[in-house]
Amino acid sequence: MTQSNVCLFSRRNLLICSLGSSFSSALFAQRNYPDRPIKAIIPNSPGSSVDTIGRLVMNEVSKLIGQPLVIDNRAGAAGAIGVEATRSALADGYSVLIGSSSAVSVAPFLQKAVTYQPLRDFDLIALVALLPNVLVCHPSLPVNSVTQFLAYARNKNGDTKMASAGLGSVSHLAGAALQVAGGFESLHVPYRGGSQGVASVVSGETDWVLTPAPAAMSLVAGKRLKLLGHSLAPAHHPLGNTPSIGSELTGFEFASWIDLMGPTGMPASVVSLLNKTVGQALQSPSLAKALETHGAIVKSSTPEEFRTYLTKDLDTTRRAVQAANVKPE
């Protein structure tokens, strides 16, 4: 064998050994995952509903998984900054996103600068919680059910006023979706934030709003708003005996949600471990009770169930954006 052949042979063996060593290291890392803290990106500011609920859930996950979970708040651009940061992270399971419907489903339809596609650019780990919206109206309206409200609004021929937290907000899109499904029209009156929109219904400046539950329930308890229904599917009972809108308007559902996801390309074993750990954490009665105090209910899922849910939610959001006639900016 010539000297040049020996050199070629040696280099080839070195390359094979190097590749084999890398492959073995990757397998070892997966088998021992996690062996260091995991960063959980939250695309909202501290103290928000997503942040509060995300921290509660990930605290339970941390106990079960045996590693700290470091919260990294990346607020801005309606959540898009945090989602984008997750997309560009290493897909090794040490950077995950505590996402929300606003950041994951809504932002791509409303912001021209958003280029991520949720079903393409992320590995879906699990749904975590659902947050119902509630249909509330001014106490003077002569209605006491969703059915009566729909009949009243139709008879008014557009002479009712719907409040919202602003153009493209959850309350705007949910209200637009309700109008399409219910076959009526209302004048949209946008405000600078959810509290102002709800306050306008209390004062009688507007007639109704379909808003996240935490923004309205204390006012319902004080009889300053009339509660007609919630926006989750009929199978869910987040507010005691309060009926779902869908039980009287078949098929209607417009929930906000919180999830766990990561950059696409994560090892399947890591996705599976995180999914099972989240599912186990959500079985904690104390966690379920804590979520309930924040107007949320536990909603665990497999990755496949989450994909089916998100596919439907993206379609619902697209149709709501079209109905609301909101253009991307």
Side-chain angles (χ1 to χ4, degrees):
M1 184 179 292
T2 65
Q3 184 174 0
S4 61
N5 286 339
V6 169
C7 290
L8 286 172
F9 183 76
S10 299
R11 289 171 183 167
R12 184 175 64 185
N13 278 357
L14 182 62
L15 177 61
I16 291 171
C17 289
S18 176
L19 290 173
S21 176
S22 298
F23 184 67
S24 298
S25 297
L27 287 177
F28 179 80
Q30 288 183 37
R31 283 198 301 267
N32 290 273
Y33 174 88
D35 59 5
R36 63 179 187 273
I38 298 171
K39 179 171 68 176
I41 296 172
I42 297 181
N44 301 77
S45 58
S48 64
S49 294
V50 177
D51 176 76
T52 300
I53 292 170
R55 288 173 184 269
L56 286 169
V57 173
M58 298 314 284
N59 183 54
E60 290 295 320
V61 170
S62 177
K63 295 175 186 176
L64 294 169
I65 213 165
Q67 287 289 344
L69 282 119
V70 180
I71 300 297
D72 182 5
N73 291 95
R74 299 282 190 97
I81 290 176
V83 179
E84 186 59 54
T86 305
R87 177 170 73 160
S88 61
L90 288 176
D92 57 3
Y94 288 97
S95 292
V96 295
L97 174 75
I98 300 171
S100 68
S101 48
S102 294
V104 176
S105 279
V106 178
F109 290 103
L110 299 183
Q111 300 183 50
K112 290 181 179 178
V114 170
T115 60
Y116 55 78
Q117 296 182 25
L119 296 171
R120 180 196 67 187
D121 296 330
F122 300 92
D123 282 341
L124 309 181
I125 298 170
L127 275 169
V128 171
L130 297 180
L131 291 86
N133 298 300
V134 290
L135 175 59
V136 292
C137 67
H138 190 270
S140 67
L141 262 64
V143 299
N144 292 295
S145 69
V146 172
T147 299
Q148 290 178 5
F149 171 79
L150 294 176
Y152 174 82
R154 290 170 190 145
N155 289 335
K156 282 289 187 176
N157 294 317
D159 190 24
T160 54
K161 296 177 181 178
M162 178 194 84
S164 84
L167 291 172
S169 64
V170 169
S171 52
H172 181 201
L173 298 183
L178 180 63
Q179 290 180 62
V180 171
F184 70 96
E185 293 183 1
S186 274
L187 175 66
H188 175 219
V189 185
Y191 290 84
R192 294 182 179 179
S195 60
Q196 292 183 29
V198 171
S200 76
V201 182
V202 172
S203 69
E205 188 173 279
T206 58
D207 299 304
W208 66 280
V209 66
L210 186 51
T211 187
M217 292 312 295
S218 63
L219 294 164
V220 170
K223 300 187 183 302
R224 301 179 70 189
L225 288 174
K226 190 183 296 185
L227 174 62
L228 302 176
H230 67 77
S231 67
L232 299 187
H236 297 295
H237 303 281
L239 302 168
N241 295 323
T242 302
S244 72
I245 297 170
S247 65
E248 300 182 58
L249 182 59
T250 303
F252 184 83
E253 181 181 356
F254 203 100
S256 298
W257 45 264
I258 296 174
D259 74 292
L260 186 67
M261 56 204 300
T264 188
M266 291 171 61
S269 59
V270 171
V271 172
S272 178
L273 175 63
L274 288 173
N275 174 267
K276 290 177 181 176
T277 306
V278 169
Q280 187 176 350
L282 293 176
Q283 293 177 17
S284 164
S286 60
L287 178 59
K289 186 174 182 179
L291 294 188
E292 197 175 301
T293 62
H294 293 280
I297 62 171
V298 167
K299 177 62 175 178
S300 60
S301 72
T302 65
E304 294 75 19
E305 289 169 341
F306 183 16
R307 177 167 291 273
T308 298
Y309 184 92
L310 179 56
T311 300
K312 180 182 177 183
D313 189 74
L314 286 167
D315 183 59
T316 298
T317 302
R318 176 185 56 79
R319 288 186 280 110
V321 169
Q322 290 174 347
N325 196 29
V326 181
K327 307 300 182 184
E329 296 181 354

